[in-house]
Coordinates of all heavy atoms in Angstrom, one line a residue:
G173 N -17.8 3.5 6.8 CA -16.7 3.2 5.8 C -15.8 2.1 6.1 O -15.5 1.9 7.4
I174 N -15.5 1.3 5.4 CA -14.6 0.1 5.6 C -13.3 0.2 4.6 O -13.6 0.3 3.4 CB -15.3 -1.2 5.5 CG1 -16.4 -1.3 6.4 CG2 -14.4 -2.4 5.6 CD1 -17.3 -2.5 6.3
G175 N -12.1 0.0 5.2 CA -11.0 0.3 4.4 C -10.1 -0.8 4.0 O -10.2 -1.9 4.8
A176 N -9.4 -0.8 3.0 CA -8.3 -1.8 2.5 C -7.0 -1.3 3.2 O -7.0 -0.2 3.8 CB -8.2 -1.9 1.0
W177 N -5.9 -2.1 3.0 CA -4.7 -1.8 3.7 C -3.7 -0.9 3.0 O -2.6 -0.6 3.4 CB -4.0 -2.9 4.3 CG -4.0 -4.3 3.5 CD1 -4.8 -5.2 3.5 CD2 -3.2 -4.4 2.3 NE1 -4.6 -6.2 2.5 CE2 -3.6 -5.7 1.7 CE3 -2.2 -3.6 1.6 CZ2 -3.0 -6.2 0.6 CZ3 -1.6 -4.2 0.5 CH2 -2.1 -5.4 -0.1
N178 N -4.0 -0.8 1.6 CA -2.9 -0.1 0.8 C -2.8 1.4 0.9 O -1.7 1.9 0.8 CB -3.0 -0.6 -0.6 CG -4.4 -0.2 -1.2 OD1 -5.3 0.2 -0.4 ND2 -4.6 -0.3 -2.5
Y179 N -3.9 2.1 1.2 CA -3.8 3.5 1.4 C -4.7 4.0 2.6 O -5.7 4.6 2.5 CB -4.4 4.2 0.1 CG -3.4 4.2 -1.0 CD1 -3.2 3.1 -1.8 CD2 -2.5 5.2 -1.2 CE1 -2.3 3.0 -2.8 CE2 -1.4 5.2 -2.2 CZ -1.5 4.0 -3.1 OH -0.5 3.9 -3.9
Q182 N -5.5 7.9 2.9 CA -6.3 8.3 1.8 C -7.7 7.8 1.9 O -8.7 8.5 1.6 CB -5.6 7.8 0.6 CG -6.3 8.3 -0.7 CD -5.7 7.7 -1.9 OE1 -5.9 6.6 -2.3 NE2 -4.7 8.4 -2.6
I183 N -7.9 6.5 2.2 CA -9.2 5.9 2.1 C -10.1 6.5 3.3 O -11.2 6.8 3.0 CB -9.1 4.3 2.3 CG1 -8.5 3.7 1.1 CG2 -10.5 3.8 2.5 CD1 -8.1 2.3 1.1
W186 N -11.0 9.9 1.8 CA -11.9 9.9 0.6 C -13.3 9.4 0.9 O -14.2 9.9 0.2 CB -11.3 8.8 -0.5 CG -10.1 9.3 -1.3 CD1 -9.3 10.4 -1.0 CD2 -9.7 8.8 -2.5 NE1 -8.4 10.5 -1.9 CE2 -8.5 9.6 -2.9 CE3 -10.1 7.8 -3.3 CZ2 -7.8 9.3 -4.1 CZ3 -9.4 7.5 -4.5 CH2 -8.3 8.4 -4.9
K187 N -13.5 8.7 2.0 CA -14.9 8.3 2.5 C -15.4 9.5 3.3 O -16.5 9.8 3.2 CB -14.8 6.9 3.1 CG -14.4 5.8 2.1 CD -14.7 4.5 2.7 CE -14.0 3.4 1.8 NZ -14.3 3.4 0.4
K201 N -14.0 1.8 9.8 CA -13.2 0.7 10.3 C -12.0 0.5 9.3 O -12.2 0.0 8.2 CB -14.0 -0.6 10.3 CG -13.3 -1.7 11.0 CD -13.7 -3.2 10.7 CE -13.2 -3.7 9.5 NZ -11.8 -3.9 9.4
P202 N -10.8 0.7 9.7 CA -9.8 0.5 8.9 C -9.5 -0.9 8.8 O -9.9 -1.8 9.5 CB -8.5 1.2 9.5 CG -9.0 1.5 11.0 CD -10.5 1.3 11.1
S203 N -8.6 -1.3 7.8 CA -8.2 -2.7 7.7 C -7.4 -3.1 9.0 O -6.6 -2.4 9.5 CB -7.3 -2.9 6.4 OG -6.5 -4.0 6.5
E204 N -7.5 -4.4 9.4 CA -6.9 -4.8 10.5 C -5.3 -4.9 10.3 O -4.5 -5.0 11.3 CB -7.3 -6.2 11.0 CG -7.2 -7.4 9.8 CD -8.5 -7.4 8.9 OE1 -9.1 -6.3 8.6 OE2 -8.8 -8.4 8.4
T205 N -4.9 -4.9 9.0 CA -3.5 -4.8 8.7 C -2.8 -3.5 8.9 O -1.7 -3.4 9.1 CB -3.3 -5.3 7.2 OG1 -4.1 -6.5 7.0 CG2 -1.8 -5.6 6.8
T206 N -3.7 -2.4 8.7 CA -3.1 -1.1 8.9 C -4.0 -0.3 9.7 O -4.8 0.6 9.2 CB -3.0 -0.4 7.5 OG1 -4.3 -0.5 6.8 CG2 -2.0 -1.0 6.6
G232 N -10.9 -3.6 13.9 CA -11.4 -4.9 14.0 C -11.2 -5.6 12.7 O -10.8 -4.9 11.6
R233 N -11.5 -6.9 12.5 CA -11.5 -7.7 11.4 C -12.8 -7.7 10.8 O -13.6 -6.9 11.0 CB -10.9 -9.1 11.7 CG -9.6 -9.1 12.6 CD -9.0 -10.5 12.8 NE -7.5 -10.4 13.1 CZ -7.2 -10.1 14.4 NH1 -8.1 -9.9 15.4 NH2 -5.9 -10.0 14.6
G234 N -12.9 -8.7 9.8 CA -14.2 -8.8 9.1 C -15.4 -8.9 9.8 O -16.5 -8.2 9.5
D235 N -15.4 -9.5 11.0 CA -16.6 -9.6 11.8 C -17.1 -8.3 12.4 O -18.3 -8.0 12.4 CB -16.3 -10.6 12.9 CG -15.2 -10.3 13.8 OD1 -14.3 -9.6 13.4 OD2 -15.3 -10.6 15.1
V236 N -16.1 -7.4 12.7 CA -16.5 -6.1 13.1 C -17.2 -5.3 12.0 O -18.2 -4.6 12.2 CB -15.3 -5.3 13.8 CG1 -15.8 -3.8 14.1 CG2 -14.8 -6.0 15.0
G237 N -16.5 -5.4 10.9 CA -17.1 -4.7 9.8 C -18.5 -5.2 9.3 O -19.4 -4.5 9.2
A238 N -18.7 -6.5 9.4 CA -20.0 -7.2 9.2 C -21.1 -6.6 10.2 O -22.2 -6.4 9.9 CB -19.9 -8.7 9.2
S239 N -20.7 -6.5 11.5 CA -21.6 -6.1 12.4 C -22.1 -4.6 12.3 O -23.1 -4.2 12.5 CB -21.1 -6.4 13.9 OG -20.1 -5.4 14.2
L240 N -21.1 -3.8 11.7 CA -21.5 -2.5 11.3 C -22.5 -2.5 10.1 O -23.5 -1.7 10.1 CB -20.2 -1.6 10.9 CG -19.2 -1.2 12.0 CD1 -18.0 -0.7 11.4 CD2 -19.8 -0.4 13.0
V241 N -22.1 -3.2 9.1 CA -23.0 -3.2 7.9 C -24.4 -3.7 8.2 O -25.4 -3.2 7.6 CB -22.3 -4.2 6.8 CG1 -23.2 -4.2 5.6 CG2 -21.0 -3.6 6.4
V249 N -23.1 2.2 3.2 CA -21.8 1.5 3.3 C -20.9 1.8 2.2 O -21.2 1.6 1.0 CB -22.0 -0.1 3.5 CG1 -20.6 -0.7 3.8 CG2 -22.9 -0.4 4.6
L251 N -17.2 0.5 0.8 CA -16.2 -0.5 1.1 C -15.1 -0.3 0.1 O -15.3 0.0 -1.1 CB -16.6 -1.9 1.0 CG -15.6 -2.9 0.9 CD1 -15.1 -3.3 2.4 CD2 -16.2 -4.3 0.4
T252 N -13.8 -0.4 0.5 CA -12.6 -0.4 -0.3 C -12.1 -1.9 0.0 O -11.6 -2.0 1.2 CB -11.7 0.6 -0.2 OG1 -12.3 1.8 -0.6 CG2 -10.5 0.4 -1.2
G253 N -12.1 -2.7 -0.9 CA -11.5 -4.1 -0.7 C -11.6 -5.0 -1.8 O -11.8 -4.6 -2.9
S254 N -11.5 -6.3 -1.6 CA -11.5 -7.3 -2.6 C -13.0 -7.5 -3.1 O -13.9 -7.3 -2.4 CB -10.9 -8.6 -2.1 OG -11.6 -9.1 -1.0
V255 N -13.1 -8.2 -4.2 CA -14.3 -8.6 -4.8 C -15.1 -9.5 -3.9 O -16.3 -9.4 -3.6 CB -14.2 -9.2 -6.2 CG1 -15.5 -9.8 -6.7 CG2 -13.7 -8.1 -7.2
P256 N -14.4 -10.6 -3.3 CA -15.1 -11.6 -2.4 C -15.8 -10.8 -1.2 O -16.9 -11.1 -0.8 CB -14.1 -12.6 -2.0 CG -13.1 -12.5 -3.1 CD -13.1 -11.2 -3.6
T257 N -15.0 -9.9 -0.6 CA -15.5 -9.1 0.5 C -16.7 -8.2 0.0 O -17.7 -8.0 0.6 CB -14.4 -8.3 1.1 OG1 -13.5 -9.1 1.5 CG2 -14.9 -7.5 2.5
G258 N -16.5 -7.7 -1.2 CA -17.5 -6.7 -1.8 C -18.8 -7.5 -2.0 O -19.9 -6.9 -1.6
K260 N -19.9 -10.0 -0.1 CA -20.5 -10.2 1.2 C -21.2 -8.9 1.6 O -22.4 -8.9 2.2 CB -19.5 -10.7 2.2 CG -19.1 -12.2 2.0 CD -18.1 -12.6 3.1 CE -17.0 -13.5 2.6 NZ -16.0 -13.5 3.6
V261 N -20.4 -7.9 1.6 CA -20.8 -6.6 2.2 C -22.1 -6.1 1.3 O -23.1 -5.5 1.9 CB -19.7 -5.5 2.1 CG1 -20.2 -4.1 2.5 CG2 -18.6 -6.0 3.1
A264 N -25.2 -8.0 2.4 CA -25.5 -7.7 3.7 C -26.2 -6.3 3.7 O -27.3 -6.1 4.3 CB -24.4 -7.7 4.8
M274 N -18.9 0.6 -3.7 CA -17.9 -0.6 -3.6 C -16.7 -0.2 -4.6 O -16.9 0.0 -5.8 CB -18.7 -1.8 -4.3 CG -19.8 -2.3 -3.5 SD -19.2 -3.3 -2.2 CE -20.5 -2.9 -0.9
E275 N -15.5 -0.1 -3.9 CA -14.3 0.1 -4.6 C -13.6 -1.2 -4.5 O -12.9 -1.5 -3.4 CB -13.5 1.2 -4.0 CG -14.2 2.7 -4.2 CD -14.1 3.1 -5.6 OE1 -13.4 2.5 -6.4 OE2 -14.7 4.0 -5.9
L276 N -13.5 -2.1 -5.5 CA -13.0 -3.4 -5.4 C -11.8 -3.5 -6.3 O -11.1 -2.7 -6.7 CB -14.1 -4.4 -5.7 CG -15.5 -4.1 -4.9 CD1 -16.5 -5.1 -5.3 CD2 -15.2 -4.2 -3.4
G277 N -11.5 -4.8 -6.5 CA -10.3 -5.2 -7.2 C -10.2 -5.0 -8.6 O -11.2 -4.5 -9.3
G278 N -9.0 -5.3 -9.3 CA -9.0 -5.1 -10.8 C -7.9 -6.0 -11.4 O -7.2 -6.7 -10.6
Q307 N 0.9 -2.8 -4.8 CA -0.4 -2.9 -4.1 C -1.4 -1.8 -4.3 O -1.7 -1.1 -3.5 CB -0.1 -3.1 -2.6 CG 1.0 -4.2 -2.4 CD 1.6 -4.1 -1.0 OE1 1.5 -5.0 -0.2 NE2 2.4 -3.1 -0.8
V308 N -1.7 -1.6 -5.5 CA -2.7 -0.6 -6.1 C -3.8 -1.2 -6.8 O -3.5 -2.0 -7.8 CB -2.0 0.4 -6.8 CG1 -2.9 1.6 -7.2 CG2 -0.7 1.0 -6.1
C309 N -5.1 -1.0 -6.4 CA -6.3 -1.6 -7.1 C -6.3 -1.3 -8.6 O -6.7 -2.2 -9.3 CB -7.4 -1.1 -6.4 SG -7.6 0.6 -6.3
S310 N -5.9 -0.1 -8.9 CA -6.0 0.3 -10.5 C -4.8 -0.1 -11.2 O -4.8 0.2 -12.4 CB -6.2 1.8 -10.4 OG -5.2 2.4 -9.6
V352 N 3.1 -5.6 2.3 CA 2.4 -5.1 3.5 C 2.4 -6.2 4.7 O 2.6 -5.9 5.8 CB 0.9 -4.7 3.3 CG1 0.0 -5.9 3.2 CG2 0.5 -3.7 4.4
R355 N 1.5 -12.6 4.8 CA 0.4 -13.2 4.1 C 0.4 -12.7 2.7 O 0.4 -13.5 1.7 CB -0.8 -12.9 4.7 CG -2.0 -13.5 4.2 CD -3.5 -13.4 5.0 NE -4.6 -13.9 4.2 CZ -5.2 -13.3 3.4 NH1 -5.0 -11.9 3.2 NH2 -6.2 -13.7 2.7
Q356 N 0.5 -11.4 2.4 CA 0.4 -10.9 1.1 C 1.7 -11.3 0.4 O 1.6 -11.7 -0.9 CB 0.2 -9.4 1.2 CG -0.1 -8.8 -0.2 CD -1.4 -9.2 -0.7 OE1 -2.3 -9.7 0.1 NE2 -1.5 -9.2 -2.0
E406 N -6.3 -11.2 -9.8 CA -5.5 -10.0 -9.2 C -4.6 -10.5 -8.3 O -4.8 -11.3 -7.4 CB -6.7 -9.1 -8.4 CG -6.0 -7.9 -7.9 CD -6.9 -7.2 -6.9 OE1 -7.7 -7.7 -6.1 OE2 -7.0 -5.8 -7.1
F408 N -2.2 -8.3 -6.7 CA -1.9 -7.3 -5.8 C -0.5 -7.3 -5.2 O -0.3 -7.4 -4.0 CB -3.0 -7.4 -4.6 CG -3.5 -6.0 -4.2 CD1 -4.2 -5.2 -5.1 CD2 -3.4 -5.6 -2.9 CE1 -4.6 -3.9 -4.8 CE2 -3.9 -4.4 -2.6 CZ -4.4 -3.5 -3.5
F432 N -13.3 -8.1 -14.2 CA -13.0 -6.7 -13.6 C -13.1 -5.6 -14.6 O -13.1 -5.8 -15.9 CB -11.5 -6.8 -13.2 CG -11.2 -7.8 -12.1 CD1 -10.4 -8.9 -12.3 CD2 -11.7 -7.7 -10.8 CE1 -10.1 -9.7 -11.4 CE2 -11.4 -8.6 -9.9 CZ -10.6 -9.6 -10.1
L434 N -11.8 -2.0 -13.5 CA -11.5 -0.8 -12.7 C -10.8 0.2 -13.5 O -11.3 1.4 -13.7 CB -10.6 -1.2 -11.5 CG -10.3 -0.1 -10.6 CD1 -11.6 0.7 -10.2 CD2 -9.6 -0.6 -9.3
F472 N -13.6 8.5 -9.5 CA -12.7 7.3 -9.4 C -13.6 6.0 -9.0 O -14.4 6.1 -8.1 CB -11.7 7.4 -8.3 CG -10.8 6.3 -8.3 CD1 -9.6 6.1 -9.1 CD2 -11.0 5.2 -7.4 CE1 -8.8 4.9 -9.1 CE2 -10.2 4.1 -7.3 CZ -9.1 4.0 -8.2
G473 N -13.5 5.1 -9.8 CA -14.4 3.8 -9.4 C -14.4 2.9 -10.6 O -13.8 3.2 -11.8
G474 N -14.9 1.7 -10.4 CA -14.9 0.6 -11.5 C -16.2 0.2 -12.1 O -17.3 0.5 -11.6
S478 N -15.5 -4.7 -10.6 CA -14.6 -3.8 -9.8 C -15.3 -2.7 -9.0 O -14.7 -2.1 -8.2 CB -13.7 -3.1 -10.8 OG -12.8 -4.0 -11.3
G479 N -16.6 -2.6 -9.1 CA -17.3 -1.8 -8.1 C -18.7 -1.1 -8.6 O -19.1 -1.2 -9.7
E483 N -16.0 7.4 -6.2 CA -15.5 8.3 -5.1 C -14.8 9.6 -5.9 O -14.7 9.5 -7.1 CB -14.4 7.6 -4.4 CG -14.9 6.5 -3.6 CD -14.1 5.8 -2.5 OE1 -12.9 5.4 -2.8 OE2 -14.4 5.9 -1.4
Ligands
LIG613 P1 -10.3 -7.4 2.0 O1 -11.4 -7.5 1.1 O2 -9.6 -8.5 2.5 O3 -10.6 -6.4 3.3 C1 -11.2 -5.0 3.1 C2 -11.9 -4.6 4.3 O4 -13.0 -5.3 4.5 C3 -10.9 -4.9 5.6 O5 -11.2 -3.7 6.5 C4 -11.6 -6.1 6.2 O6 -11.5 -6.3 7.6 C5 -13.1 -5.8 5.8 N1 -14.0 -7.0 5.8 C6 -13.7 -8.3 5.4 N2 -14.7 -9.1 5.5 C7 -15.8 -8.3 5.8 C8 -17.1 -8.6 6.0 N3 -17.7 -9.7 5.8 N4 -18.0 -7.6 6.3 C9 -17.5 -6.3 6.3 N5 -16.1 -6.0 6.3 C10 -15.4 -7.0 6.0 O7 -9.2 -6.4 1.1 P2 -7.7 -6.0 1.5 O8 -7.0 -7.3 1.4 O9 -7.7 -5.3 2.8 O10 -7.3 -5.0 0.2 C11 -6.9 -5.5 -0.9 C12 -8.1 -5.5 -1.9 O11 -8.8 -4.2 -1.9 C13 -7.7 -5.7 -3.4 O12 -8.6 -6.5 -4.0 C14 -7.8 -4.3 -4.0 O13 -7.9 -4.3 -5.4 C15 -8.9 -3.8 -3.3 N6 -8.7 -2.2 -3.4 C16 -9.6 -1.6 -4.2 C17 -9.5 -0.1 -4.3 C18 -10.5 0.6 -5.0 O14 -10.5 1.9 -4.8 N7 -11.1 0.1 -6.1 C19 -8.5 0.5 -3.5 C20 -7.7 -0.2 -2.7 C21 -7.7 -1.6 -2.7

Side-chain angles (χ1 to χ4, degrees):
I174 299 177
W177 41 256
N178 56 346
Y179 284 85
Q182 183 187 81
I183 294 172
W186 280 19
K187 297 191 189 309
K201 188 200 82 63
S203 164
E204 59 273 33
T205 311
T206 51
R233 302 186 167 81
D235 58 329
V236 172
S239 70
L240 291 173
V241 176
V249 180
L251 168 78
T252 298
S254 61
V255 171
T257 302
K260 287 187 221 162
V261 172
M274 295 279 146
E275 291 291 350
L276 308 177
Q307 303 165 116
V308 182
C309 52
S310 48
V352 76
R355 182 169 173 271
Q356 194 59 25
E406 183 184 46
F408 223 59
F432 297 110
L434 188 47
F472 181 84
S478 293
E483 295 197 299

